[in-house]
Amino acid sequence: SYISSLNNYLNACVNIGKYKEFEKYLDKMKAFSSQFENKKEHADYQTRLFLLISDLELNYYKKTGRFDDLKKLIGAVETGFSKFGKLIIENRKIALYNRIAYANFIIRDYNKSIQYINLIMNATNPKVEQEQHSFARIRNLILHYELGNYDLLEYAVRSTRKYLSGAERIYKFEKLVLDFVIKAMNTAPEKEKIALYERLKFDLGKIADDPFEKSALEQFDVISWLESKIQKKDFADILR
């Protein structure tokens, strides 16, 4: 269909850095979407376009380092959720929750990020992919570590370890991050923490080209986060 083809083209534009082209054709998609606004008979179509446009823009602002725009967009997407939420299937919700959780992490709104991660972890629909639960749990550990919630982190570590032990498959990056968090939350001197960041960065670098691991690392750039901790800079500055 026209929308599917346009969506695929827009994703390709972002991936290869054709940003002017992206902006041009995103405007076309938005113009196409506007003809269905407030028409109940086209609610399903409006919902689909809302999801596609939200996902495209969240990814675009993240890729281009436009984090002020990203912050504004989060509010607009949340408004859309309140309007179309009941019409969105669970898997599509989870995908967008992931994008919003990551966006909030980038702008350092860790508590808001945790709210969306919790929505993923608490999803009970059996159609939700197991890896989405696993990835959410790993990101939950990093979020609580950033906030210094070490009491909560101890419980989260136990819960995550138990969950992963029963998983059908486990990514190497999940075990590496879990082991890192256990060590880091029990390490006080900054010099020792830096050594842990560097070690995890090195270990993740060795598996970064593995196709199986790469899909997970693309959802959350743990290596850039570690670099931000090593350099003592904002994660957003490293991504830029």
Side-chain angles (χ1 to χ4, degrees):
S1 70
Y2 171 73
I3 288 301
S4 295
S5 298
L6 186 55
N7 181 62
N8 291 338
Y9 181 69
L10 285 163
N11 274 309
C13 285
V14 173
N15 291 334
I16 63 176
K18 294 177 67 173
Y19 298 134
K20 290 292 184 185
E21 191 81 350
F22 173 88
E23 291 173 1
K24 175 183 174 182
Y25 282 93
L26 181 68
D27 284 343
K28 288 191 175 186
M29 182 181 273
K30 287 182 175 180
F32 182 79
S33 175
S34 66
Q35 66 185 299
F36 303 107
E37 284 182 8
N38 302 316
K39 294 181 180 178
K40 291 183 178 179
E41 66 272 23
H42 295 299
D44 288 344
Y45 215 50
Q46 288 180 63
T47 303
R48 184 185 176 209
L49 285 161
F50 158 72
L51 286 168
L52 293 176
I53 291 170
S54 297
D55 189 65
L56 286 164
E57 286 195 294
L58 285 165
N59 191 37
Y60 171 60
Y61 290 143
K62 182 196 76 175
K63 286 264 191 179
T64 55
R66 292 171 56 177
F67 300 134
D68 287 339
D69 290 323
L70 185 65
K71 187 174 183 178
K72 294 173 187 173
L73 179 62
I74 292 169
V77 174
E78 289 176 330
T79 299
F81 259 131
S82 66
K83 183 176 181 180
F84 301 114
K86 292 180 180 179
L87 298 173
I88 304 173
I89 62 172
E90 194 75 359
N91 268 328
R92 296 306 301 271
K93 277 185 184 178
I94 296 300
L96 202 50
Y97 289 161
N98 262 317
R99 289 274 199 207
I100 300 172
Y102 193 25
N104 278 299
F105 186 89
I106 292 170
I107 63 173
R108 297 174 63 91
D109 192 341
Y110 301 134
N111 286 310
K112 180 67 76 69
S113 187
I114 286 173
Q115 288 177 26
Y116 280 97
I117 289 296
N118 284 336
L119 288 173
I120 299 170
M121 292 194 300
N122 293 331
T124 56
N125 191 315
K127 291 183 179 180
V128 176
E129 296 175 3
Q130 185 184 60
E131 70 177 26
Q132 295 292 356
H133 285 285
S134 300
F135 295 169
R137 288 171 184 275
I138 293 299
R139 287 159 70 177
N140 186 54
L141 296 180
I142 292 173
L143 281 159
H144 283 299
Y145 177 75
E146 279 284 22
L147 287 167
N149 294 337
Y150 295 137
D151 289 341
L152 286 171
L153 198 51
E154 287 184 18
Y155 168 79
V157 163
R158 290 195 301 271
S159 175
T160 301
R161 180 185 280 158
K162 182 179 178 181
Y163 182 86
L164 293 179
S165 68
E168 293 178 7
R169 61 180 183 177
I170 183 169
Y171 289 79
K172 291 176 184 176
F173 105 93
E174 292 171 338
K175 186 177 186 308
L176 287 170
V177 173
L178 179 59
D179 290 345
F180 156 80
V181 170
I182 292 169
K183 292 174 185 174
M185 69 182 187
N186 292 305
T187 300
E190 187 63 21
K191 187 176 179 180
E192 291 181 24
K193 285 186 176 181
I194 295 293
L196 289 175
Y197 300 143
E198 290 174 337
R199 181 67 208 184
L200 179 57
K201 183 185 172 187
F202 175 77
D203 289 340
L204 290 174
K206 290 194 295 184
I207 64 171
D209 292 327
D210 181 331
F212 182 64
E213 302 290 334
K214 193 173 182 179
S215 65
L217 291 169
E218 284 177 347
Q219 291 196 39
F220 176 66
D221 192 346
V222 183
I223 293 175
S224 290
W225 173 70
L226 290 164
E227 190 61 36
S228 76
K229 305 302 285 184
I230 294 165
Q231 293 189 32
K232 298 182 180 179
K233 292 183 176 181
D234 280 352
F235 180 49
D237 292 334
I238 298 296
L239 290 179
R240 287 191 179 99

